[in-house]
Amino acid sequence: VRQYCHQPLKLTVASGGLSPQNQRRVIEYVEESLSVSFSLSDLATLTQLSEFHFARMFKTSFGCTPHQYVLFRRVELAKILLTQNSLSLVDVASACGFSSQQHLSQQFKLRVGATPAAFRREQARGH
């Protein structure tokens, strides 16, 4: 399961699954809550579905699990903060909802192919 969860994320909205209104609700909630911890139950409650049903419908709609989607969005936010700010890596991790700098580094390297520090250095050279 872990190996599958680390495959590159391809976001595609499919027919079936969550209604467009529920998709929008979930996306907005995730975007507003990236810096804090939230659960599958919180997301399921937004759509008035059980956790199990929500997870299945989410995967049908987005082509990935809710957890994969949240990690993807957190890494994307980290990329923005690393290029626009001089925040420390600990502060970037906190602002993106990661439990620690190590968790940020692990997930970032897995998805981007470079550590956050290396990514920041590369971005600084490019500008």
Side-chain angles (χ1 to χ4, degrees):
V1 172
R2 278 207 178 270
Q3 184 178 8
Y4 174 78
C5 290
H6 298 302
Q7 292 179 353
L9 182 60
K10 295 177 183 161
L11 294 178
T12 57
V13 178
S15 61
L18 297 171
S19 69
Q21 182 180 5
N22 278 338
Q23 289 177 24
R24 198 170 35 259
R25 273 190 199 129
V26 170
I27 290 169
E28 288 172 1
Y29 181 87
V30 168
E31 292 301 316
E32 292 169 0
S33 305
L34 285 175
S35 65
V36 297
S37 180
F38 57 91
S39 67
L40 182 64
S41 176
D42 296 330
L43 296 176
T45 298
L46 288 173
T47 60
Q48 299 178 344
L49 298 171
S50 70
E51 291 178 34
F52 177 78
H53 192 61
F54 169 78
R56 289 186 57 179
M57 299 297 276
F58 186 97
K59 188 162 185 174
T60 298
S61 295
F62 293 95
C64 65
T65 67
H67 185 249
Q68 288 173 305
Y69 178 78
V70 170
L71 285 174
F72 172 79
R73 294 304 306 140
R74 285 181 170 158
V75 168
E76 290 300 304
L77 177 58
K79 287 166 66 176
I80 292 167
L81 294 177
L82 289 167
T83 58
Q84 294 180 349
N85 273 309
S86 59
L87 291 174
S88 70
L89 294 180
V90 171
D91 291 337
V92 170
S94 177
C96 296
F98 288 102
S99 58
S100 66
Q101 179 183 341
Q102 180 182 6
H103 189 216
L104 165 66
S105 295
Q106 175 190 36
Q107 295 301 319
F108 196 93
K109 185 165 186 179
L110 194 62
R111 287 166 172 73
V112 178
T115 64
F119 178 84
R120 178 180 267 170
R121 282 192 302 274
E122 187 61 34
Q123 295 300 307
R125 279 188 218 133
H127 290 117

